[in-house]
Amino acid sequence: MPLTPAITDWPAQPLRDRVVIVTGGAQGVGRGIAQAVLGAGGSVMIADLDADAGRACLKEWALPERAAFQRADVASERSVQALVKATLKRYGRIDGLVNNAGIASAHGTPLAEMTFAEWERRLSSLHGAFLCSRHALPALRAQAADKTGGSIINIASTRAWQSEPDSEAYAAAKGGLVAFTHALAISSGPEVRVNSISPGWITTDAWQAPARRRAPKLSRRDHAQHAVGRVGQPEDIGALAVFLLSDLSGFITGQDHIVDGGMSRTMIYAE
């Protein structure tokens, strides 16, 4: 038989029959990822502290067989355990976990004035990734016989690599997620792949709960700071998340993927 590489068809819905947990999934980037999972044929359990936003998602999506919501605090181990249990009860399996929940604002109290309690609270995205990964891993490993097995995505930030003043806690959390990603990838492979996504400027005004939803106000200068000519959208992160959750990325693990429209590659000089 000749060793001729064949042309392989790409799946139209790469997440068909897959179940994905998305924390912080009721609004912002998390909602963008959740909707991308649904569009790719998967089922999703969104976890969020905002119950109104979660219920709004289910009403607007109108996909009761493939979408569910669980109110959860990812910084609480008991709450995370309940989330994993509820997902398994509803769907019977977990194929993917997206650790997205955390404090959205990068700016905090100046370090000299910051209390240890605030420091710990601002590291909630890192704590949540640990707790959710720890409790979801057994179910994710159970899918090892299904091609590439389970997949975890940690949502970090370009602020893991560059900073503004008074953002130490946020940078520490996001930098920690990048390091946590490659460490967990080595520990959990080959059954489970682990990657991170570092978004840049993503406008989420239109992706909030209905009462807070509004059209984004962006200037030409805002868009011009990006090599692609525009500010990012949650769909941009969702598209990469689908790829990393699917078998299409079966040879990728332990990597951080920067999605910022080229902004962090642009050299800026003060005139």
Side-chain angles (χ1 to χ4, degrees):
M1 179 181 295
L3 298 176
T4 304
I7 296 174
T8 303
D9 291 337
W10 283 46
Q13 291 194 308
L15 296 182
R16 182 178 293 278
D17 299 324
R18 303 293 177 93
V19 175
V20 180
I21 295 174
V22 182
T23 68
Q27 47 202 335
V29 167
R31 176 166 178 161
I33 294 171
Q35 291 192 188
V37 169
L38 292 169
S43 297
V44 69
M45 171 68 83
I46 55 172
D48 206 290
L49 276 172
D50 190 330
D52 289 337
R55 286 190 288 265
C57 284
L58 299 187
K59 181 179 179 181
E60 291 172 344
W61 293 339
L63 292 169
E65 297 301 315
R66 294 198 291 123
F69 168 69
Q70 172 87 4
R71 188 179 185 278
D73 177 1
V74 298
S76 162
E77 187 159 20
R78 181 175 295 179
S79 185
V80 168
Q81 287 175 307
L83 168 63
V84 171
K85 183 177 180 180
T87 305
L88 290 172
K89 182 178 180 180
R90 182 179 180 90
Y91 296 114
R93 60 188 288 161
I94 299 173
D95 301 275
L97 166 66
V98 180
N99 289 312
N100 168 72
I103 294 174
S105 173
H107 300 283
T109 307
L111 194 67
E113 303 168 19
M114 184 179 291
T115 64
F116 186 64
E118 182 182 349
W119 173 265
E120 281 200 308
R121 183 174 64 85
R122 287 187 167 274
L123 294 181
S124 60
S125 60
L126 183 57
H127 301 328
F130 158 68
L131 289 172
C132 291
S133 299
R134 180 187 178 209
H135 290 288
L137 269 170
L140 290 165
R141 284 196 172 107
Q143 305 308 320
D146 187 6
K147 294 189 178 180
T148 58
S151 176
I152 295 174
I153 300 174
N154 298 313
I155 303 301
S157 169
T158 51
R159 290 175 183 271
W161 310 106
Q162 54 184 173
S163 294
E164 292 178 298
D166 302 326
S167 61
E168 290 86 357
Y170 189 88
K174 297 305 186 179
L177 280 170
V178 172
F180 177 71
T181 293
H182 60 70
L184 185 59
I186 302 306
S187 300
S188 62
E191 295 91 351
V192 178
R193 295 178 299 107
V194 187
N195 291 283
S196 60
I197 299 176
S198 286
W201 186 347
I202 306 296
T203 181
T204 60
D205 304 87
W207 293 75
Q208 304 302 318
R212 296 189 299 276
R213 195 173 297 163
R214 60 185 177 83
K217 295 180 180 179
L218 298 166
S219 68
R220 257 185 218 177
R221 185 176 181 181
D222 295 336
H223 292 299
Q225 293 180 62
H226 300 76
V228 299
R230 66 174 176 85
V231 173
Q233 300 287 335
E235 296 103 322
D236 296 314
I237 309 304
L240 179 57
V242 166
F243 173 70
L244 293 174
L245 289 164
S246 76
D247 294 336
L248 294 169
S249 60
F251 198 54
I252 301 174
T253 195
Q255 306 300 313
D256 180 56
H257 304 265
I258 294 176
V259 185
D260 71 347
M263 191 175 186
S264 62
R265 289 300 191 189
T266 304
M267 296 180 70
I268 300 174
Y269 293 97
E271 297 182 359

